[in-house]
Amino acid sequence: ETGVTQTPRHLVMGMTNKKSLKCEQHLGHNAMYWYKQSAKKPLELMFVYSLEERVENNSVPSRFSPECPNSSHLFLHLHTLQPEDSALYLCASSPELASTDTQYFGPGTRLTVL
Amino acid sequence: LAKTTQPISMDSYEGQEVNITCSHNNIATNDYITWYQQFPSQGPRFIIQGYKTKVTNEVASLFIPADRKSSTLSLPRVSLSDTAVYYCLVGVDSLSGGSYIPTFGRGTSLIVHP
């Protein structure tokens, strides 16, 4: 186990629904990340938080809204998604936002948008 | 702006040594090179990291030439369980400036045959 948990592990939602993905780490890390991985595509970095402040928003549509209430928790709020948003959403954390710091990934949430 | 370039796929056989090369022509002076392994429907996990010359751990070796414009991950005596996608990672500067943002390449899908 890497110490990063994600809930739910699987989620099916309609385009009009509102749902949230949760990520939690108890590693004492200060940086947290959301990634999207579509089928047979590389990892796409969505958001980066350092010390609870967002430092990167990688041109992500506004129907994805991140929230980092403290250094241990990261949320991704979803609303009015599209079928093409179906993917594996991965959360990761690292000690700091630094080149030398290893990222620890959670198991991911498999999202299906109908 | 592509930061890294890797072969899309590679095939090998059990017991062979596998070398995967990543090009990162625009690597920054303070950038480290990190390699991750990812199995289907799981988050990536750290394999090895280096800055220059050679690094070796219990699972792999990493060779980095003096100009640091490329790196080679070496997996000795691969087994079927080494079938996975391998990513090399270097950083980019945040759009807002001043922050290190990790950037995964497209990865190399390694298939190990019996």
Side-chain angles (χ1 to χ4, degrees):
Chain A
E1 290 300 319
T2 63
V4 180
T5 60
Q6 290 186 242
T7 54
R9 295 293 307 276
H10 300 272
L11 177 63
V12 179
M13 59 186 290
M15 290 190 285
T16 59
N17 292 156
K18 291 185 179 181
K19 297 287 185 182
S20 295
L21 309 185
K22 179 182 177 181
C23 175
E24 188 170 358
Q25 57 94 3
H26 297 288
L27 300 170
H29 291 171
N30 288 321
M32 296 188 78
Y33 314 77
W34 278 118
Y35 288 89
K36 174 185 177 182
Q37 189 170 38
S38 303
K40 298 185 178 180
K41 289 188 177 181
L43 289 160
E44 300 175 50
L45 181 63
M46 301 175 72
F47 302 104
V48 181
Y49 277 82
S50 177
L51 296 172
E52 301 157 42
E53 291 199 13
R54 190 190 312 178
V55 298
E56 185 79 353
N57 176 348
N58 219 10
S59 302
V60 178
S62 59
R63 57 186 183 270
F64 295 92
S65 175
E67 179 189 3
C68 188
N70 55 62
S71 60
S72 297
H73 294 86
L74 185 65
F75 294 89
L76 187 62
H77 303 298
L78 316 171
H79 63 98
T80 60
L81 295 191
Q82 305 298 312
E84 60 264 29
D85 296 322
S86 298
L88 181 67
Y89 288 85
L90 291 160
C91 172
S93 71
S94 63
E96 304 292 343
L97 196 59
S99 176
T100 53
D101 283 353
T102 300
Q103 291 184 69
Y104 294 81
F105 283 80
T109 294
R110 174 68 65 185
L111 173 67
T112 301
V113 182
L114 301 177
Chain B
L1 178 64
K3 287 293 291 187
T4 60
T5 304
Q6 304 173 232
I8 293 175
S9 62
M10 294 182 70
D11 289 87
S12 185
Y13 293 88
E14 284 189 291
Q16 289 188 336
E17 178 185 76
V18 172
N19 296 308
I20 305 174
T21 297
C22 179
S23 297
H24 28 78
N25 291 318
N26 298 318
I27 189 169
T29 302
N30 59 348
D31 232 351
Y32 279 68
I33 301 152
T34 311
W35 284 78
Y36 288 81
Q37 175 192 56
Q38 186 181 26
F39 297 112
S41 297
Q42 294 185 24
R45 64 176 187 177
F46 172 86
I47 300 176
I48 198 167
Q49 183 184 77
Y51 184 81
K52 61 181 180 181
T53 62
K54 177 183 176 182
V55 179
T56 297
N57 62 22
E58 64 275 10
V59 297
S61 294
L62 180 60
F63 299 91
I64 305 169
D67 65 7
R68 302 194 341 113
K69 292 183 183 299
S70 67
S71 58
T72 298
L73 173 72
S74 182
L75 303 173
R77 299 178 297 281
V78 294
S79 64
L80 296 177
S81 62
D82 292 317
T83 294
V85 178
Y86 293 83
Y87 295 94
C88 81
L89 181 148
V90 296
V92 296
D93 292 329
S94 166
L95 294 176
S96 59
S99 296
Y100 163 81
I101 303 299
T103 302
F104 284 83
R106 298 189 66 84
T108 297
S109 177
L110 171 66
I111 299 175
V112 179
H113 302 277

